[in-house]
Amino acid sequence: MPRTLTEPGAEELSSLKAWTLSSDGRSLRRSIEFVNFGEAFAFMTRVAMRAEQLDHHPDWANVWRRVDIRLSTHDTGGITNLDVQLARFIDSIAPPPPLP
Amino acid sequence: MPRTLTEPGAEELSSLKAWTLSSDGRSLRRSIEFVNFGEAFAFMTRVAMRAEQLDHHPDWANVWRRVDIRLSTHDTGGITNLDVQLARFIDSIAPPPPLP
């Protein structure tokens, strides 16, 4: 069954406070620092399993204890409900972002 | 106990046929494609565990079924025996590179 892809509204996007909208508005970005590589990779493993459930995967990079994540939907070339779902899951398991 | 870091010789580097030496000679790169995200992440998990054993970690990125790996040693700013060890491990578990 094809999935319904919807574009989140501005209010929903701005509720994702830990995420940065790319300048072209087509992706969400978040960088997260962990205490060490093991914690970073444990986080990635949980996100990977959720991504498989959603059949929607992040573009991400890892350097030691840092993970840089980019969310976007290939099929639409922009941000969809799937990105918002994955972002909310990531926020639920990530350490809180540093205070501004 | 501090680890002994040595620089591999040209012959040892050129034996890593699946890897590309960066233009500054300070890192090794390899991109690997898997059949799907699950296989890509299973590979990353095995590399992550080996990296923890070696206490030497890759810089890497993953987009769906592709993994881009960069190996370099922070302490020396170049390629060392640790990178060669990790590269050989990766080669031992990765699918064979495409024919040239």
Side-chain angles (χ1 to χ4, degrees), chain B residues 10-81:
Chain B
E11 199 173 328
E12 189 162 21
L13 281 182
S14 67
S15 74
L16 298 169
K17 294 192 192 307
W19 295 78
T20 305
L21 193 63
S22 64
S23 56
D24 63 7
R26 293 185 173 179
S27 61
L28 289 167
R29 287 161 195 275
R30 181 174 179 187
S31 292
I32 307 175
E33 290 225 339
F34 297 83
V35 293
N36 56 35
F37 175 81
E39 292 294 320
F41 201 79
F43 161 82
M44 291 178 75
T45 304
R46 291 188 67 189
V47 174
M49 290 190 284
R50 184 73 180 121
E52 284 289 74
Q53 280 183 326
L54 291 172
D55 192 18
H56 185 65
H57 304 90
D59 293 359
W60 49 2
N62 161 239
V63 177
W64 189 38
R65 64 191 182 95
R66 200 182 76 234
V67 181
D68 297 317
I69 308 160
R70 180 181 166 278
L71 302 178
S72 186
T73 301
H74 189 79
D75 288 353
T76 68
I79 299 166
T80 68
N81 50 315

Side-chain angles (χ1 to χ4, degrees), chain A residues 26-94:
Chain A
R26 294 186 172 179
S27 62
L28 290 167
R29 286 162 196 273
R30 182 173 178 189
S31 290
I32 307 176
E33 289 225 341
F34 296 84
V35 294
N36 55 38
F37 175 80
E39 292 294 320
F41 201 79
F43 160 83
M44 291 179 75
T45 304
R46 291 188 67 188
V47 174
M49 289 189 285
R50 185 74 180 121
E52 284 288 76
Q53 279 182 327
L54 291 171
D55 193 18
H56 185 64
H57 303 91
D59 293 359
W60 51 2
N62 160 239
V63 178
W64 189 39
R65 64 192 182 93
R66 198 181 77 233
V67 180
D68 297 318
I69 308 161
R70 181 179 167 278
L71 301 178
S72 186
T73 300
H74 190 80
D75 288 354
T76 69
I79 300 167
T80 68
N81 50 315
L82 290 175
D83 300 301
V84 172
Q85 271 184 275
L86 195 50
R88 290 204 194 286
F89 175 76
I90 288 168
D91 289 348
S92 75
I93 65 167

